[in-house]
Amino acid sequence: MSEYPRYGQDEPYEPYPQYGQYPQYGQYPQSEQYPQYPPYQQYLRYEQYEQASRLVRPFTITGGRTEPSRNIFTLITIVTATASVRAGPGLQREHLRALDLCAAPAAVAEIAAHLDLPVAVTKILLSDLLDQGRITATAPAQGSGGPDIALLEKVRDGLARL
Amino acid sequence: MPGSDTDAPSAVKILVSGGFGVGKTTLVRSISEIAPLRTEEVLTASGADVDDLCGIEEKTTTTVALDFGRITLFPDLVLYLFGTPGQQRFWFMWDDLALGALGGIVLVDTRRIDVSFSAIDFFEKRGIPFIVAANCFDGRQAYTAGQVRQALALGPDIQLHAFDARDRVSCRDTLRTLVDHLVERVSRTP
């Protein structure tokens, strides 16, 4: 990393890795290594495979994690990107796409739909981004405390304006 | 909440439920400001109700998809409408879907009332307030309100509303009927 931002560039210039900084053989992330094929007895029947591939494959995006680091996201939690920084260490293509999708405030369900990923996978990606401070999250208006008369009246007034 | 942002709107949701082909997605499409989106969740359930002679505990994993739409009520308040999948029984276990819902609309097709029974069961078991909306498929209702109430075994406190899912104003009025019911219900029980 150079000490001063170069003229005309918003983001600091990031040099290529030097000799020795590349990962050694075997140190590549699991997703970049050759897949370990199971013995043929463990292969699924076609109809099972069709179902399972839709289930299993998305979780390879999360590195096999099935739980988010913070369990605060719901379907209608609104997430908003905080900064325009689009690159960074540890971010995958799906993270960047999620960041693009929440440039304007969007619900978790919307981001999942546009990413074409299950909600559970999207929540894991979003909690990664939240941990890095790249997004903010707004909780649903109705918490677990039950119905709120002021909120319901506001919804009623909003529907009347449609 | 960590990383909370005051500029961003907060959201509420209403569930639209009912059997297969009763017009859930049509309702969402009629009133949503965006083209309905489809999202899916992976649900896991232990197969307790599966007759298994081997006695092996088997877990069933299934994908459930739902369509939803968005209505911006105010700059700081957005309403999401979620159409629950009709033909699958697994979405009953989707906690995130039921949690924090303002209320629900059960759509019925009066020619096939039985397909919406499970949706009514769901809202009753989860304690989510709901109204029943009868979709007019040929522009008219084949049965009277009393007949529909009797067929669905609705209590007197549950509202029955006739509407046309293809008509935006009619859908809006259905939502208003639900929210009026919710406001009245909360103000009745302090």
Side-chain angles (χ1 to χ4, degrees):
Chain A
M1 184 91 49
S2 64
E3 206 170 335
Y4 303 104
R6 297 202 308 182
Y7 179 73
Q9 282 195 329
D10 294 333
E11 292 167 21
Y13 172 68
E14 216 169 301
Y16 289 104
Q18 298 302 302
Y19 177 78
Q21 292 180 329
Y22 289 100
Q24 298 299 303
Y25 178 78
Q27 291 180 339
Y28 283 97
Q30 192 67 42
S31 58
E32 292 178 24
Q33 288 182 11
Y34 285 114
Q36 299 292 308
Y37 293 110
Y40 77 94
Q41 293 94 338
Q42 292 176 19
Y43 278 93
L44 302 170
R45 293 195 308 276
Y46 178 75
E47 61 271 21
Q48 288 177 319
Y49 175 77
E50 206 175 58
Q51 172 82 342
S53 63
R54 287 185 62 76
L55 299 177
V56 173
R57 206 175 288 151
F59 284 101
T60 59
I61 295 167
T62 67
R65 291 171 297 158
T66 57
E67 293 293 331
S69 61
R70 288 195 239 180
N71 201 8
I72 62 162
F73 291 102
T74 72
L75 280 172
I76 56 165
T77 300
I78 303 284
V79 292
T80 316
T82 49
S84 56
V85 180
R86 284 288 174 268
L91 288 188
Q92 298 176 14
R93 195 181 51 188
E94 285 77 11
H95 286 112
L96 299 177
R97 282 182 60 207
L99 269 178
D100 282 337
L101 290 168
C102 59
V108 170
E110 284 178 273
I111 293 166
H114 287 300
L115 288 176
D116 199 16
L117 288 173
V119 178
V121 175
T122 308
K123 285 177 182 173
I124 295 167
L125 296 177
L126 290 175
S127 64
D128 292 343
L129 293 172
L130 188 67
D131 287 342
Q132 297 184 11
R134 290 169 188 274
I135 58 170
T136 59
T138 309
Q142 175 164 295
S144 49
D148 167 11
I149 186 80
L151 176 65
L152 288 172
E153 281 172 347
K154 191 172 179 184
V155 173
R156 185 180 63 182
D157 296 345
L159 285 171
R161 299 193 321 157
L162 287 181
Chain B
M1 178 164 224
S4 180
D5 186 352
T6 47
D7 294 340
S10 57
V12 291
K13 72 181 161 189
I14 287 175
L15 306 182
V16 181
S17 191
F20 182 68
V22 293
K24 298 183 296 288
T25 306
T26 311
L27 185 152
V28 172
R29 182 175 294 117
S30 295
I31 195 149
S32 172
E33 66 195 22
I34 54 170
L37 293 168
R38 168 159 287 205
T39 188
E40 60 181 39
E41 181 61 298
V42 182
L43 299 177
T44 309
S46 56
D49 53 350
V50 178
D51 225 351
D52 194 351
L53 295 175
C54 309
I56 298 167
E57 282 284 320
E58 196 176 344
K59 279 207 163 183
T60 317
T61 311
T62 187
T63 306
V64 177
L66 56 77
D67 296 327
F68 66 98
R70 183 182 68 198
I71 306 168
T72 303
L73 298 174
F74 293 101
D76 63 340
L77 187 64
V78 183
L79 169 65
Y80 285 91
L81 288 179
F82 286 93
T84 61
Q87 65 278 41
Q88 293 166 338
R89 59 195 178 94
F90 288 101
W91 66 270
F92 290 88
M93 290 164 301
W94 193 343
D95 289 325
D96 190 1
L97 189 61
L99 214 66
L102 294 181
I105 298 172
V106 175
L107 300 193
V108 292
D109 175 354
T110 50
R111 298 166 303 183
R112 319 175 278 129
I113 260 180
D114 54 316
V115 296
S116 295
F117 282 156
S118 58
I120 292 179
D121 278 350
F122 171 73
F123 287 129
E124 282 178 343
K125 277 181 189 152
R126 291 272 180 165
I128 299 171
F130 66 97
I131 64 166
V132 176
N135 197 355
C136 305
F137 272 89
D138 312 316
R140 62 193 171 86
Q141 290 290 353
Y143 300 93
T144 65
Q147 285 172 317
V148 175
R149 278 188 174 280
Q150 196 175 8
L152 287 169
L154 291 184
D157 53 325
I158 293 170
Q159 294 203 21
L160 178 64
H161 177 83
F163 86 116
D164 184 343
R166 295 163 301 179
D167 181 33
R168 178 182 148 84
V169 175
S170 185
C171 292
R172 184 203 64 185
D173 290 342
T174 307
L175 287 173
R176 289 179 70 180
T177 306
L178 170 68
V179 178
D180 285 345
H181 170 67
L182 298 175
V183 170
E184 190 202 348
R185 185 173 161 277
V186 173
S187 45
R188 215 171 346 113
T189 52

